[in-house]
Amino acid sequence: MEIEIVERNEHPLDIVERLASVHDWSFDRADVNEISVAVAGSWGDYQIAFTWLDELEALHIACAFDLKIPPRRRADMLELVSLINEQLWVGHFDLWPSEDVVMFRHSLLLAGGAEPNGRQCETLLKVATQACDRYYQSFQFVLWAGKSPREAMEGAMFETVGHA
């Protein structure tokens, strides 16, 4: 099977860059196929990397938490990631072994020359930050409070209504 590179009207990351500019988010486009964007979440700022993968015609998003996983907690974190991924409809969490960090990842497939739009890119970013915000405390519960993955998930699945 031969992969054909399709000419596009606009580079998909140009749309992400415009989105970052409109929202006044800090960003760095060190490469034509990669841009990093800093976005405020509920529990802190997220460094989000968008990568354009020519050969797959996919816009990939990766959002890493700012927490290191010690070797003694790795098995529990893997179990927690599995439990969380069962709940997600879009995207997934990984443990990135080279850095020992938790990362949310997803890709927008644009095969055949489909053009992304600002709404798609914004939704991709929103899905990533919402997933990170929702499960951040679960990861903290396992790492720092010594909770089991199931206990940590119960905390994440509990939704509050109203304001105090």
Side-chain angles (χ1 to χ4, degrees), residues 38-152:
V39 177
S42 297
W43 304 106
D45 290 341
Y46 297 124
Q47 288 298 318
I48 301 172
F50 285 89
T51 306
W52 174 248
L53 305 166
D54 260 334
E55 63 281 358
L56 297 175
E57 293 183 85
L59 182 59
H60 179 263
I61 188 170
C63 181
F65 287 125
D66 186 22
L67 52 96
K68 290 277 189 184
I69 300 161
R72 65 179 170 48
R73 301 303 291 165
R74 188 165 178 72
D76 284 339
M77 292 298 277
L78 285 169
E79 183 181 345
L80 179 59
V81 163
S82 178
L83 291 171
I84 290 171
N85 286 342
E86 290 173 2
Q87 303 299 313
L88 297 176
W89 286 72
V90 177
H92 67 280
F93 282 96
D94 279 332
L95 290 187
W96 206 251
S98 62
E99 308 271 332
D100 286 327
V101 296
V102 175
M103 183 178 294
F104 178 86
R105 298 176 23 165
H106 185 60
S107 292
L108 177 62
L109 299 175
L110 299 163
E115 298 284 343
N117 61 46
R119 178 120 188 233
Q120 289 171 311
C121 294
E122 194 160 15
T123 300
L124 191 60
L125 187 102
K126 183 178 179 181
V127 165
T129 56
Q130 284 178 340
C132 290
D133 282 346
R134 177 156 194 188
Y135 294 105
Y136 181 83
Q137 286 190 310
S138 296
F139 291 110
Q140 292 289 339
F141 288 159
V142 169
L143 276 181
W144 307 118
K147 301 285 184 192
S148 74
R150 293 217 180 266
E151 290 172 316

Side-chain angles (χ1 to χ4, degrees), residues 15-34:
I15 296 165
V16 175
E17 188 172 329
R18 255 194 325 278
L19 184 65
S21 293
V22 166
H23 288 284
D24 271 341
W25 295 326
S26 298
F27 66 90
D28 178 31
R29 190 156 177 191
D31 183 89
V32 69
N33 289 327
E34 197 170 312

